[in-house]
Amino acid sequence: MRAVWNLGTHFTNTYLIELAEGWLLVDTGYPFDYRHFLRAAKRKGIELSSIRYVALTHVHADHAGYLKRILSYTGASLICLPAARGRLASGVNEKNVYVSRRILLPINRLSAATPRFQTFEPVDAAGAIDPLTQPLAGEGITFFALGGHTDQDLCLRVDDRLFVGDLCMNGAGATGYSPLWIEDNDALVESWRRLVRMEGETLYVGHGKPFPKGKLAARIEKQAKRKLCKLCR
Ligand SMILES: [Zn+2]
């Protein structure tokens, strides 16, 4: 099985996936995580120039944080869904969202009011590759679009592993694998149903450790009934 490294921080995962030649990077942490990433890559002996593609699961500052810097430094091609382009150009998180647990509302409102956690260098994604054209089919990598955490969430299947961004979470205060921020819970639940039905056994999430798909299946009905709170009044 090909190598997969997590070069992220204790908060956000940043996966490097081995290609026949070079690497595919999935997500890019907060803006202030860049130095951590550089150190982690050096420890693994990975030349930044060998990163050929960067796939973005969704546009949040903890996933697109140093995207602009890594693209200009490596010359890698960006792979992102068309819906991500406008948000990438804005450089700021969408805040018309629901929070998954009432107890977490105060800390999420504080975070939402803190530019350090909500902004990133804007990226011009006009030349990005549309993942649904399956640009890495020759590498055995399949892209698909789901949604609910944001308006469109990009996922990848690599061997029996599903990289799902923040469609579900296994850490950072999440319960029952729910993401903390949800734009559309009906869409999220539908995404979970589709993930459970598709090929691939292990979910590689944006926050927390990978976990077997069966655990998500057991939480779908509870997620559908979850009471959500609006982030901004
Ligand atoms: Zn997110």
Side-chain angles (χ1 to χ4, degrees):
M1 198 130 74
R2 79 186 82 209
V4 172
W5 302 113
N6 180 6
L7 303 189
T9 62
H10 67 282
F11 183 70
T12 308
N13 299 323
T14 300
Y15 295 108
L16 259 184
I17 298 170
E18 187 180 26
L19 302 175
E21 274 181 41
W23 299 88
L24 160 66
L25 180 66
V26 180
D27 291 340
T28 65
Y30 275 118
F32 48 82
D33 292 336
Y34 188 53
R35 286 164 66 91
H36 173 96
F37 174 81
L38 294 181
R39 282 196 300 269
K42 195 171 179 186
R43 269 201 303 275
K44 290 279 181 210
I46 290 160
E47 295 283 345
L48 290 196
S49 58
S50 64
I51 298 174
R52 294 173 54 214
Y53 300 93
V54 182
L56 184 72
T57 61
H58 65 288
V59 185
H60 274 158
D62 55 340
H63 293 254
Y66 52 87
L67 179 61
K68 182 164 184 173
R69 266 181 288 178
I70 203 93
L71 289 174
S72 61
Y73 196 90
T74 60
S77 301
L78 173 62
I79 300 173
C80 70
L81 288 164
R85 292 179 190 173
R87 291 187 181 198
L88 276 173
S90 78
V92 63
N93 286 353
E94 169 63 51
K95 296 199 195 85
N96 185 17
V97 302
Y98 296 89
V99 174
S100 62
R101 295 170 66 196
R102 179 166 291 277
I103 196 170
L104 295 174
L105 255 184
I107 193 158
N108 277 273
R109 285 183 173 153
L110 188 64
S111 161
T114 308
R116 177 176 163 82
F117 299 125
Q118 302 299 326
T119 59
F120 53 93
E121 258 192 286
V123 176
D124 176 3
I129 299 170
D130 181 347
L132 302 185
T133 62
Q134 303 302 342
L136 298 180
E139 299 271 0
I141 295 174
T142 310
F143 292 94
F144 44 98
L146 296 174
H149 174 57
T150 63
D151 56 346
Q152 273 199 319
D153 298 279
L154 178 64
C155 301
L156 302 66
R157 184 170 53 241
V158 183
D159 307 320
D160 70 342
R161 299 177 269 210
L162 291 162
F163 293 81
V164 299
D166 287 358
L167 278 172
C168 44
M169 284 172 61
N170 192 22
T175 51
Y177 305 112
S178 177
L180 292 179
W181 284 21
I182 297 169
E183 291 190 19
D184 182 336
N185 198 47
D186 291 342
L188 185 83
V189 168
E190 178 54 26
S191 294
W192 284 19
R193 291 192 207 284
R194 286 182 57 191
L195 282 171
V196 164
R197 282 197 302 267
M198 67 177 59
E199 274 179 59
E201 289 308 314
T202 307
L203 299 171
Y204 282 67
V205 284
H207 304 278
K209 290 197 163 61
F211 64 96
K213 207 169 66 173
K215 289 192 171 185
L216 190 70
R219 294 293 307 194
I220 289 176
E221 295 314 318
K222 282 208 163 120
Q223 183 66 28
K225 293 184 191 131
R226 188 179 279 277
K227 293 227 182 331
L228 304 173
C229 316
K230 199 89 175 142
L231 174 68
C232 302
R233 284 162 279 206

